[in-house]
């Protein structure tokens, strides 16, 4: 069974609205009415599967009151009798769990108050129960209440006996971490939200239950008494085997990570010397997975680009195949425009295929920053940088200029007094007329300035494109 698929809006409504900590002060009736108002009846079973997955481990909901609210919703979504409720076997599992586990840092699956509340629901709820709030039920004294939970659970499991054996022994896909570093107690709401997102909104969703495969051994030959044994093979419940050696780095790896973290901190504050740069890049080349353990967050990327663009390029190349690259691209788009940031983007386009959306947003941001600068000398300098950058991108076919043609053309007209803008405008006209020359080879190009010098016929080299931007205040 696949895990229930929820939209982000449904997950937000369920956890931060219907089952929020503030809503737990209302009565059960009010919570049910709120749930029915937010979710149509056709979606009740799907939402119920999500609640069951959150209740499968004791620390996936922040408080006992929220767990009681989730149990009451599971009870209300299906009709009587309770034995026909599709979640009845799960209720039985909660009732049969021990109330406490000696010498364990993992909290019990259900507290005494939760088990007593569930027993009251199953054995016949009263109108007074529906008028009580989840917070009151979670804090009530149940020491004087005596229920035969085993008998109630046995009654609920009658329907489960008709399930195939491999389904009966299925285990939840949510497994508590039994490691020695596990901290007791429930996580905060932010941790619960992040876990719920991974369960219900991730690209590769978890399975609702982990069931053994349906193995059919071949029947034995020439043994009459055992000939039909394969029709009903013996099956024992599976046990989860935890590998405590996973994700534990060796001592040498830990030392390397520590050294790389220090070098990265230095790289975000100043220019690295050649020895530091070679050490950093050689270690990443030998073990690309180290990039995930040295503390490089998207917020640190702008500083790294400004001080050490070559290191930033190598780091981004290691991250381009991961889903996290989107956050790093977002930082590049919003960071202050500079020659180094353009150099990084230009080099990346020659080495990997970047998303068109990222390239177009970066170009639009560069144009916008040029227009916002009021000081004429600085504005002329930025315009020259952008023009040289755009000429390199267009000549080498690194961007789909047709999608931003009008925006770039308007930029050239606005700053037509600048020589590089006029050259870029002529290049756009060549593209529009279909006479744009073939893309140039990037084998000998090592920087944005070199690319512009090789591609821009109107420019007189790096000095003409970059030097004029720093010495000429009026064009």
């Amino acid at each position: 069974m696949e895990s229930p698929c929820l939209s982000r809006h449904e997950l937000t409504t369920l956890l931060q609205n219907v089952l929020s900590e503030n809503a737990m002060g209302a009565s059960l009736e009010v919570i049910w009415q709120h749930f029915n108002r937010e979710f149509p009846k056709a979606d009740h079973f799907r939402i119920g599967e999500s609640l069951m997955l959150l209740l499968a481990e004791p620390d996936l909901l922040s408080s006992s009151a929220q767990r009681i609210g989730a149990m009451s919703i599971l009870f209300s979504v299906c009709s009587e009798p309770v034995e026909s409720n599709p979640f009845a076997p799960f209720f039985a599992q909660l009732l049969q769990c021990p109330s406490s586990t000696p010498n364990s840092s993992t909290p019990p699956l259900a507290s005494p108050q939760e088990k007593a509340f569930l027993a009251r629901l199953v054995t016949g709820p009263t109108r007074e129960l529906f008028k009580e709030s989840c917070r009151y039920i979670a804090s009530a004294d149940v020491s004087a209440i005596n229920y035969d939970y085993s008998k109630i659970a046995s009654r609920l499991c009658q329907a489960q006996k008709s399930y195939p054996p491999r389904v009966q022994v299925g285990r939840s896909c949510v497994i508590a971490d039994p490691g020695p570093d596990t901290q007791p107690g429930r996580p905060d709401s932010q941790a619960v939200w992040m876990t719920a997102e991974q369960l219900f909104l991730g690209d590769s969703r978890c399975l609702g239950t982990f069931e053994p495969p349906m193995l059919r051994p071949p029947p034995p030959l020439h043994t009459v008494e055992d000939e039909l044994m394969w029709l009903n093979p013996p099956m024992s419940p599976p046990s989860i085997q935890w590998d405590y050696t996973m994700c534990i780095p060796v001592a040498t790896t830990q030392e390397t990570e520590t050294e790389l973290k220090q070098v990265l901190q230095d790289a975000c504050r100043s220019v690295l010397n050649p020895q530091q740069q070679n050490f950093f890049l050689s270690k990443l080349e030998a073990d690309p997975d180290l990039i995930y353990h040295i503390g490089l967050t998207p917020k640190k990327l702008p500083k790294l680009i400004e001080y050490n663009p070559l290191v930033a390029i190598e780091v981004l190349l290691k991250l381009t195949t991961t889903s996290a690259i989107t956050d790093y691209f977002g930082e590049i788009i919003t960071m202050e425009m500079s020659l180094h940031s353009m150099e990084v983007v230009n080099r990346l386009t020659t080495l990997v295929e970047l998303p068109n959306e990222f390239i177009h947003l970066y170009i639009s941001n560069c144009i916008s920053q040029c227009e916002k600068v009021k000081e004429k000398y600085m504005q002329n300098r930025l315009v020259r940088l952008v023009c040289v950058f755009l000429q390199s991108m267009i000549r080498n076919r690194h961007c789909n200029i047709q999608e931003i043609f009008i925006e770039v053309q308007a930029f050239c007209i606005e700053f037509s007094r600048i020589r590089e803008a006029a050259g870029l405008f002529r290049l756009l006209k060549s593209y529009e007329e279909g006479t744009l020359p073939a893309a140039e080879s990037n084998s000998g190009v090592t920087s944005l300035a070199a690319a512009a010098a090789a591609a821009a016929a109107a420019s007189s080299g790096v000095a003409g494109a970059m030097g004029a931007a720093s010495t000429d205040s009026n064009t």
Side-chain angles (χ1 to χ4, degrees), residues 337-339 342 370 375-387 418 465-473 475:
M337 182 187 67
S338 66
L339 176 60
M342 292 183 183
C370 289
E375 204 277 318
K376 190 173 183 180
Y377 165 74
M378 183 57 65
Q379 186 182 61
N380 291 346
R381 182 178 183 275
L382 293 179
V383 170
R384 283 192 170 94
L385 290 176
V386 173
C387 289
I418 299 176
M466 300 298 181
S470 61
T471 59
D472 184 12
S473 61
T475 300

Side-chain angles (χ1 to χ4, degrees), residues 352-365:
V352 294
E353 183 177 354
L354 298 180
N356 284 332
E357 182 182 3
F358 162 69
I359 296 176
H360 296 161
L361 287 175
Y362 181 77
I363 293 174
S364 298
N365 181 58

Side-chain angles (χ1 to χ4, degrees), residues 346 388 392 395-396 440 442 445-456:
N346 185 68
V388 171
S392 173
R395 288 180 180 276
N396 292 290
E440 300 174 0
N442 292 322
V445 175
T446 59
S447 67
L448 177 60

Side-chain angles (χ1 to χ4, degrees), residues 52-302:
M52 186 177 68
L53 193 58
L54 292 174
L55 288 167
E57 288 298 326
D59 56 357
L60 285 184
L61 287 176
S62 302
S63 67
S64 180
Q66 289 178 303
R67 290 176 58 82
I68 287 175
M71 293 175 191
S72 68
I73 292 175
L74 284 182
F75 177 82
S76 68
V77 296
C78 296
S79 59
E80 298 288 346
V82 68
E83 290 85 353
S84 63
N85 192 311
F87 305 112
F90 179 68
F91 293 157
Q93 178 186 352
L94 294 176
L95 291 171
Q96 289 176 315
C97 73
S99 296
S100 63
T101 305
N103 302 322
S104 174
S105 61
T106 303
L109 186 59
S111 66
Q113 288 82 359
E114 294 168 9
K115 293 172 66 174
F117 167 72
L118 195 54
R120 292 172 68 186
L121 280 180
V122 172
T123 56
T126 62
R127 294 293 302 174
E128 289 74 15
L129 175 62
F130 298 154
K131 296 183 180 300
E132 295 177 0
S133 68
C134 297
R135 192 173 293 131
Y136 172 80
I137 297 172
S139 60
D141 183 11
V142 295
S143 57
I145 299 177
N146 294 317
Y147 281 108
D148 188 351
Y149 294 123
S150 299
K151 185 176 181 180
I152 299 174
S154 176
R155 168 190 164 195
L156 294 176
C157 289
Q158 293 298 321
Q160 192 181 16
K161 293 181 179 179
S162 61
Y163 297 170
R166 68 188 186 93
V167 175
Q168 295 184 35
V169 299
R171 297 291 298 271
S172 171
C173 68
V174 183
I175 303 172
D177 181 4
D181 296 331
T182 303
Q183 297 294 326
R186 302 190 188 280
D188 56 21
S189 58
Q190 182 64 26
V192 172
W193 175 255
M194 293 175 62
T195 304
E197 280 189 323
Q198 294 175 357
L199 285 173
F200 304 119
L201 304 179
D203 293 334
S204 55
R205 299 182 177 88
C206 302
L207 293 178
T209 57
F210 179 75
E211 301 169 358
M214 189 62 177
L215 301 179
R216 292 283 184 175
L221 299 177
H222 310 299
T223 306
V224 177
E225 56 269 21
D226 296 331
E227 185 174 358
L228 299 180
M229 182 183 68
W230 61 276
L231 289 176
N232 189 22
M235 183 175 295
S236 59
S239 59
I240 302 299
Q241 300 296 324
W242 195 270
D243 184 2
Y244 290 95
T245 64
M246 287 184 2
C247 302
I248 299 179
V250 296
T252 55
T253 303
Q254 290 178 329
E255 294 174 0
T256 302
E257 289 182 9
T258 303
E259 294 176 353
L260 288 180
K261 286 180 181 178
Q262 183 59 49
V263 175
L264 179 63
Q265 291 179 4
D266 296 340
C268 293
R269 293 194 295 258
S270 61
V271 179
L272 296 179
N273 59 47
Q275 292 79 10
Q276 289 177 307
Q277 182 172 307
N278 292 337
F279 169 78
F280 189 89
L281 296 180
S282 62
K283 292 299 182 182
L284 284 185
E285 186 66 27
D287 186 3
D289 290 338
L290 286 173
I291 193 65
Y292 307 111
H293 308 290
I294 59 177
L296 178 61
T297 61
K299 294 296 182 183
K300 295 181 180 179
L301 185 61

Side-chain angles (χ1 to χ4, degrees), residues 381-412:
R381 182 178 183 275
L382 293 179
V383 170
R384 283 192 170 94
L385 290 176
V386 173
C387 289
V388 171
F389 171 71
L390 288 175
Q391 288 186 46
S392 173
M393 297 288 287
I394 295 173
R395 288 180 180 276
N396 292 290
R397 308 296 201 278
H398 292 157
C399 67
N400 186 359
I401 192 61
Q402 184 175 4
E403 297 183 5
I404 56 173
F405 182 88
I406 297 177
E407 184 178 6
V408 175
Q409 187 179 55
F411 171 75
C412 295

